[in-house]
Amino acid sequence: MTQYVLRRLLLLPFVLFSVSFIVFMLIHAVPGDPVTNIVGEKATAEVREKVRRRYGFDRPVIVQYGSYLGRLVRGDLGQSYKRDEEVSREIAQRLPSTIELAFAAMAIALVGGLALGVLSAVRKGGWIDFLSMTVALAGVSVPVFWLGLILMISFGGIFATGWEIDPKCFPPRITGFLLVDTLLKGEFRMFLDALRHLALPAAALGSIPLAMTARITRAAMLEVLGSDYIRTARAKGLTPWRTVMRHAFRNAAIPIVTLVGLEFGYLLGGAVLTETVFSWPGMGTYILQSVGEREWNAIGGAVLVLSTVFVLANLAVDILYAFIDPRVRYGT
């Protein structure tokens, strides 16, 4: 296992190199002049040329990528052109918000999806099965932005509809995660207020993963429930609850865990619409803003960070396999 983990970690730089190259080339292939976005359309030719030389836009693209890669090796993601702020600092301020939102959405998806999937499999053909799969189908079909607007209209009086907590009331930054920092400082009222802001966007973002988890759980549970060892467990007199949860669910967990790893990457990268609808100050709105302003360094840095988190999440899923199923072993 240790050698497997080390091999995966050694491959991480090559994955990030490929991602950085593809993103850099795609960004520079987009029509338009980034200098115009920096200095405006009314700037003089002298000012435009000065800015072009300052940021290296006058050099060939491959040379620009070489300079960009050299900065990445040193851990420098560059600076945003308009805000003149380090990209790493901007990402550090916004990434915790997206991770908190992703974990909250994943929690909703796991609790709801696993419950619906297990109940649907156990009560196959009944009204519970029909209702669960109807909810799952609706979760996949309904657009996230439309669901977000409906949630805001329906529950806006109970839950907050945007990230409107007064920055002056924030607790001292410890981890960067608001929910964690409020608990560490004992600010329980602020913790509950943060949960009010988090509830609706997490529900909207978690709708599709919830539906997918329910369907995959149902299919995996139905396959396991028809196995010989499950019939043997029932013949020995084990209670239905113990048979389902201790024997069937554990053996059906491998495809579910695989889906969870993929869903977490989707939640990180697919939060653009959700964060835009709910004015959530995370990576989704940051990337959208950077695309509109042609902030190449910001786009590249954000994609690299999200790619790293996605790869590490999938590595954690692979490691989890061995703990869920003792039959899974990674050879050396």
Coordinates of all heavy atoms in Angstrom, one line a residue, residues 120-175:
S120 N -34.9 1.7 -1.4 CA -35.5 1.3 -2.7 C -35.1 -0.1 -3.1 O -36.0 -0.8 -3.6 CB -34.9 2.3 -3.8 OG -35.4 1.9 -5.1
A121 N -33.9 -0.5 -2.7 CA -33.5 -1.9 -3.0 C -34.2 -2.9 -2.1 O -34.7 -4.0 -2.6 CB -32.0 -2.1 -2.8
V122 N -34.3 -2.6 -0.8 CA -35.0 -3.5 0.1 C -36.5 -3.6 -0.2 O -37.1 -4.7 -0.1 CB -34.8 -3.0 1.6 CG1 -35.6 -3.8 2.5 CG2 -33.3 -3.1 1.9
R123 N -37.1 -2.5 -0.6 CA -38.6 -2.5 -0.9 C -38.8 -2.4 -2.4 O -39.6 -1.7 -2.9 CB -39.2 -1.2 -0.3 CG -39.0 -1.1 1.2 CD -39.8 -2.3 1.9 NE -39.6 -2.1 3.4 CZ -40.1 -3.0 4.2 NH1 -40.8 -4.0 3.8 NH2 -40.0 -2.8 5.5
K124 N -38.0 -3.2 -3.2 CA -38.1 -3.2 -4.6 C -39.5 -3.5 -5.1 O -40.2 -4.5 -4.6 CB -37.1 -4.3 -5.2 CG -37.2 -4.4 -6.7 CD -36.3 -5.5 -7.2 CE -36.4 -5.6 -8.7 NZ -35.6 -6.8 -9.3
G125 N -40.0 -2.7 -6.0 CA -41.3 -2.9 -6.6 C -42.4 -2.2 -5.8 O -43.6 -2.1 -6.3
G126 N -42.1 -1.7 -4.6 CA -43.2 -1.0 -3.8 C -43.2 0.5 -4.1 O -42.5 1.0 -4.9
W127 N -44.1 1.1 -3.3 CA -44.2 2.6 -3.5 C -43.0 3.3 -3.0 O -42.7 4.4 -3.6 CB -45.5 3.1 -2.7 CG -45.4 3.0 -1.2 CD1 -45.7 1.9 -0.4 CD2 -44.8 4.0 -0.3 NE1 -45.5 2.2 0.9 CE2 -44.9 3.5 1.0 CE3 -44.3 5.3 -0.5 CZ2 -44.5 4.2 2.1 CZ3 -43.9 6.0 0.6 CH2 -44.0 5.5 1.9
I128 N -42.2 2.8 -2.0 CA -41.0 3.4 -1.6 C -40.0 3.4 -2.8 O -39.3 4.4 -3.0 CB -40.4 2.7 -0.4 CG1 -41.4 2.9 0.8 CG2 -39.0 3.3 0.0 CD1 -40.9 2.3 2.1
D129 N -39.9 2.3 -3.4 CA -39.0 2.2 -4.6 C -39.4 3.2 -5.7 O -38.5 3.9 -6.2 CB -39.0 0.7 -5.1 CG -38.0 0.5 -6.2 OD1 -37.1 1.3 -6.4 OD2 -38.2 -0.5 -7.0
F130 N -40.6 3.2 -6.0 CA -41.1 4.2 -7.0 C -40.8 5.6 -6.6 O -40.3 6.4 -7.4 CB -42.6 4.0 -7.2 CG -43.2 4.9 -8.2 CD1 -43.0 4.8 -9.6 CD2 -43.9 6.0 -7.7 CE1 -43.6 5.7 -10.5 CE2 -44.5 6.9 -8.6 CZ -44.3 6.8 -10.0
L131 N -41.1 6.0 -5.4 CA -40.9 7.3 -4.9 C -39.4 7.7 -4.9 O -39.0 8.8 -5.3 CB -41.5 7.5 -3.5 CG -41.4 8.9 -2.9 CD1 -42.1 9.9 -3.8 CD2 -41.9 8.9 -1.5
S132 N -38.6 6.8 -4.5 CA -37.1 7.0 -4.4 C -36.6 7.3 -5.8 O -35.8 8.2 -6.0 CB -36.4 5.9 -3.7 OG -36.9 5.7 -2.4
M133 N -36.9 6.4 -6.7 CA -36.4 6.6 -8.1 C -37.0 7.8 -8.8 O -36.3 8.4 -9.7 CB -36.7 5.3 -8.9 CG -35.8 4.1 -8.4 SD -34.0 4.4 -8.5 CE -33.7 4.8 -6.7
T134 N -38.2 8.2 -8.4 CA -38.7 9.4 -9.0 C -37.9 10.6 -8.5 O -37.6 11.5 -9.3 CB -40.2 9.6 -8.6 OG1 -40.9 8.5 -9.0 CG2 -40.8 10.9 -9.1
V135 N -37.6 10.6 -7.2 CA -36.7 11.7 -6.7 C -35.4 11.7 -7.3 O -34.8 12.8 -7.7 CB -36.6 11.5 -5.1 CG1 -35.6 12.5 -4.6 CG2 -38.0 11.7 -4.4
A136 N -34.8 10.5 -7.5 CA -33.5 10.4 -8.2 C -33.5 10.9 -9.6 O -32.6 11.6 -10.1 CB -33.0 9.0 -8.1
L137 N -34.6 10.6 -10.3 CA -34.7 11.0 -11.7 C -34.9 12.5 -11.8 O -34.3 13.2 -12.6 CB -35.9 10.3 -12.4 CG -36.2 10.7 -13.8 CD1 -35.0 10.4 -14.7 CD2 -37.4 10.0 -14.3
A138 N -35.7 13.1 -10.8 CA -35.8 14.5 -10.8 C -34.5 15.2 -10.4 O -34.2 16.3 -11.0 CB -36.9 14.9 -9.8
G139 N -33.8 14.6 -9.5 CA -32.5 15.2 -9.2 C -31.5 15.3 -10.3 O -30.8 16.3 -10.4
V140 N -31.5 14.4 -11.2 CA -30.6 14.4 -12.3 C -31.1 15.3 -13.4 O -30.4 16.0 -14.1 CB -30.5 13.0 -12.9 CG1 -29.6 13.0 -14.2 CG2 -29.8 12.0 -11.9
S141 N -32.5 15.5 -13.5 CA -33.0 16.2 -14.6 C -33.1 17.7 -14.4 O -33.0 18.5 -15.3 CB -34.5 15.7 -14.9 OG -34.4 14.3 -15.1
V142 N -33.3 18.1 -13.1 CA -33.6 19.5 -12.8 C -32.2 20.3 -12.9 O -31.3 19.9 -12.2 CB -34.2 19.7 -11.5 CG1 -34.3 21.2 -11.1 CG2 -35.6 19.0 -11.4
P143 N -32.1 21.4 -13.7 CA -30.9 22.2 -13.7 C -30.6 22.8 -12.4 O -31.5 23.2 -11.6 CB -31.2 23.3 -14.8 CG -32.4 22.7 -15.6 CD -33.2 21.9 -14.6
V144 N -29.3 22.9 -12.0 CA -28.9 23.3 -10.7 C -29.3 24.8 -10.5 O -29.8 25.2 -9.4 CB -27.4 23.2 -10.5 CG1 -27.0 23.8 -9.2 CG2 -27.1 21.7 -10.5
F145 N -29.2 25.6 -11.5 CA -29.5 27.1 -11.4 C -31.0 27.3 -11.2 O -31.4 28.1 -10.4 CB -29.0 27.9 -12.6 CG -29.7 27.6 -13.9 CD1 -30.8 28.3 -14.2 CD2 -29.2 26.6 -14.7 CE1 -31.5 28.1 -15.4 CE2 -29.9 26.4 -15.9 CZ -31.0 27.1 -16.2
W146 N -31.8 26.5 -11.9 CA -33.2 26.6 -11.7 C -33.7 26.1 -10.3 O -34.5 26.8 -9.6 CB -33.9 25.8 -12.8 CG -35.4 25.9 -12.8 CD1 -36.2 26.9 -13.3 CD2 -36.4 25.1 -12.1 NE1 -37.5 26.7 -13.1 CE2 -37.7 25.6 -12.3 CE3 -36.3 23.9 -11.3 CZ2 -38.8 25.0 -11.8 CZ3 -37.4 23.3 -10.8 CH2 -38.7 23.8 -11.1
L147 N -33.1 25.0 -9.8 CA -33.4 24.5 -8.5 C -32.9 25.5 -7.4 O -33.6 25.7 -6.4 CB -32.7 23.2 -8.3 CG -32.9 22.5 -6.9 CD1 -34.3 22.3 -6.6 CD2 -32.0 21.2 -6.8
G148 N -31.8 26.1 -7.7 CA -31.3 27.2 -6.7 C -32.3 28.3 -6.6 O -32.6 28.8 -5.5
L149 N -32.8 28.8 -7.8 CA -33.8 29.9 -7.7 C -35.1 29.5 -7.0 O -35.7 30.2 -6.2 CB -34.1 30.3 -9.2 CG -32.9 31.0 -9.9 CD1 -33.3 31.3 -11.3 CD2 -32.5 32.3 -9.2
I150 N -35.5 28.2 -7.3 CA -36.8 27.7 -6.6 C -36.5 27.6 -5.1 O -37.4 28.0 -4.3 CB -37.1 26.4 -7.2 CG1 -37.6 26.5 -8.7 CG2 -38.3 25.7 -6.4 CD1 -38.7 27.4 -8.9
L151 N -35.4 27.2 -4.7 CA -35.1 27.1 -3.3 C -35.1 28.5 -2.6 O -35.5 28.7 -1.5 CB -33.8 26.4 -3.0 CG -33.7 24.9 -3.3 CD1 -32.3 24.3 -3.2 CD2 -34.7 24.1 -2.4
M152 N -34.5 29.4 -3.3 CA -34.4 30.8 -2.8 C -35.8 31.4 -2.6 O -36.1 32.0 -1.6 CB -33.6 31.7 -3.7 CG -32.1 31.3 -3.7 SD -31.2 32.2 -5.0 CE -31.4 33.9 -4.4
I153 N -36.7 31.1 -3.6 CA -38.1 31.7 -3.5 C -38.9 31.0 -2.5 O -39.6 31.6 -1.7 CB -38.8 31.5 -4.9 CG1 -38.0 32.4 -6.0 CG2 -40.2 31.9 -4.8 CD1 -38.5 32.1 -7.4
S154 N -38.7 29.6 -2.3 CA -39.5 28.9 -1.4 C -39.0 29.0 0.0 O -39.9 29.0 0.9 CB -39.5 27.4 -1.9 OG -39.9 27.2 -3.2
F155 N -37.7 29.0 0.2 CA -37.2 28.9 1.6 C -36.4 30.1 2.0 O -35.6 30.1 3.0 CB -36.4 27.6 1.8 CG -37.2 26.4 1.5 CD1 -37.0 25.7 0.3 CD2 -38.0 25.9 2.4 CE1 -37.7 24.6 0.0 CE2 -38.7 24.7 2.2 CZ -38.6 24.0 1.0
G156 N -36.4 31.2 1.2 CA -35.6 32.3 1.5 C -36.0 33.0 2.8 O -35.1 33.7 3.4
G157 N -37.2 32.8 3.3 CA -37.6 33.4 4.5 C -37.1 32.6 5.7 O -37.0 33.2 6.8
I158 N -36.6 31.4 5.5 CA -36.1 30.6 6.6 C -34.6 30.6 6.6 O -33.9 30.8 7.6 CB -36.7 29.1 6.5 CG1 -38.2 29.1 6.6 CG2 -36.1 28.3 7.7 CD1 -38.8 27.8 6.3
F159 N -34.0 30.3 5.4 CA -32.6 30.3 5.3 C -32.1 31.5 4.5 O -32.8 32.1 3.7 CB -32.2 29.0 4.5 CG -32.6 27.7 5.1 CD1 -33.7 27.1 4.7 CD2 -31.8 27.2 6.1 CE1 -34.1 25.9 5.3 CE2 -32.2 26.0 6.7 CZ -33.3 25.3 6.3
A160 N -30.9 31.9 4.8 CA -30.2 33.0 4.1 C -30.0 32.6 2.6 O -29.8 31.5 2.3 CB -28.9 33.4 4.7
T161 N -30.1 33.6 1.7 CA -30.0 33.4 0.3 C -28.7 33.9 -0.3 O -28.6 33.9 -1.5 CB -31.2 34.0 -0.5 OG1 -31.2 35.4 -0.2 CG2 -32.5 33.4 0.0
G162 N -27.8 34.3 0.5 CA -26.5 34.8 0.0 C -25.5 34.8 1.1 O -25.8 34.7 2.2
W163 N -24.3 35.1 0.7 CA -23.2 35.1 1.7 C -23.1 36.5 2.2 O -22.3 37.4 1.7 CB -21.9 34.7 1.0 CG -20.8 34.4 2.0 CD1 -19.6 35.1 2.2 CD2 -20.7 33.4 3.0 NE1 -18.9 34.6 3.2 CE2 -19.5 33.5 3.7 CE3 -21.6 32.3 3.3 CZ2 -19.1 32.6 4.7 CZ3 -21.2 31.5 4.3 CH2 -20.0 31.6 5.0
E164 N -23.9 36.9 3.2 CA -24.1 38.2 3.6 C -23.6 38.4 5.1 O -24.0 39.4 5.7 CB -25.6 38.7 3.5 CG -26.1 38.6 2.0 CD -27.5 38.8 2.0 OE1 -28.2 38.8 3.0 OE2 -28.1 38.8 0.9
I165 N -22.8 37.5 5.6 CA -22.3 37.7 6.9 C -21.4 38.9 7.0 O -20.5 39.0 6.1 CB -21.6 36.4 7.4 CG1 -22.5 35.2 7.4 CG2 -21.0 36.6 8.8 CD1 -21.9 33.9 7.8
D166 N -21.5 39.7 8.0 CA -20.7 40.9 8.1 C -19.2 40.5 8.3 O -18.9 39.8 9.3 CB -21.2 41.7 9.3 CG -20.4 43.1 9.4 OD1 -19.5 43.3 8.5 OD2 -20.8 43.9 10.2
P167 N -18.3 40.9 7.4 CA -16.9 40.5 7.6 C -16.3 40.9 9.0 O -15.4 40.3 9.5 CB -16.2 41.2 6.4 CG -17.3 41.4 5.4 CD -18.5 41.7 6.2
K168 N -16.9 42.0 9.6 CA -16.4 42.5 10.8 C -16.7 41.5 12.0 O -16.1 41.5 13.0 CB -17.0 43.9 11.2 CG -16.6 45.0 10.2 CD -17.2 46.3 10.5 CE -16.9 47.4 9.5 NZ -17.5 48.7 9.9
C169 N -17.7 40.7 11.7 CA -18.1 39.7 12.8 C -17.4 38.4 12.6 O -17.6 37.5 13.4 CB -19.6 39.4 12.7 SG -20.6 40.9 13.0
F170 N -16.5 38.2 11.6 CA -15.8 37.0 11.4 C -14.9 36.7 12.6 O -14.2 37.6 13.1 CB -15.0 37.0 10.1 CG -15.8 36.7 8.9 CD1 -17.2 36.7 8.9 CD2 -15.2 36.5 7.7 CE1 -17.9 36.5 7.8 CE2 -15.9 36.2 6.5 CZ -17.3 36.2 6.6
P171 N -14.8 35.5 13.0 CA -13.8 35.1 14.0 C -12.4 35.2 13.5 O -12.2 35.3 12.3 CB -14.1 33.7 14.4 CG -14.7 33.1 13.1 CD -15.5 34.3 12.5
P172 N -11.4 35.3 14.3 CA -10.0 35.3 13.8 C -9.7 34.1 12.9 O -10.1 33.0 13.2 CB -9.1 35.3 15.1 CG -10.0 35.8 16.2 CD -11.4 35.4 15.8
R173 N -9.0 34.4 11.8 CA -8.8 33.3 10.8 C -7.8 32.3 11.4 O -6.7 32.6 11.8 CB -8.2 33.9 9.6 CG -8.1 32.9 8.4 CD -7.5 33.6 7.2 NE -7.3 32.7 6.1 CZ -8.2 32.4 5.2 NH1 -9.4 33.1 5.2 NH2 -8.0 31.6 4.2
I174 N -8.2 31.0 11.6 CA -7.4 30.0 12.1 C -7.1 29.0 11.0 O -6.0 28.7 10.6 CB -8.0 29.3 13.3 CG1 -8.3 30.3 14.4 CG2 -7.1 28.2 13.8 CD1 -9.1 29.7 15.6
T175 N -8.2 28.4 10.5 CA -8.0 27.4 9.4 C -8.5 27.9 8.0 O -8.1 27.4 7.0 CB -8.9 26.1 9.7 OG1 -10.2 26.5 9.7 CG2 -8.5 25.5 11.0

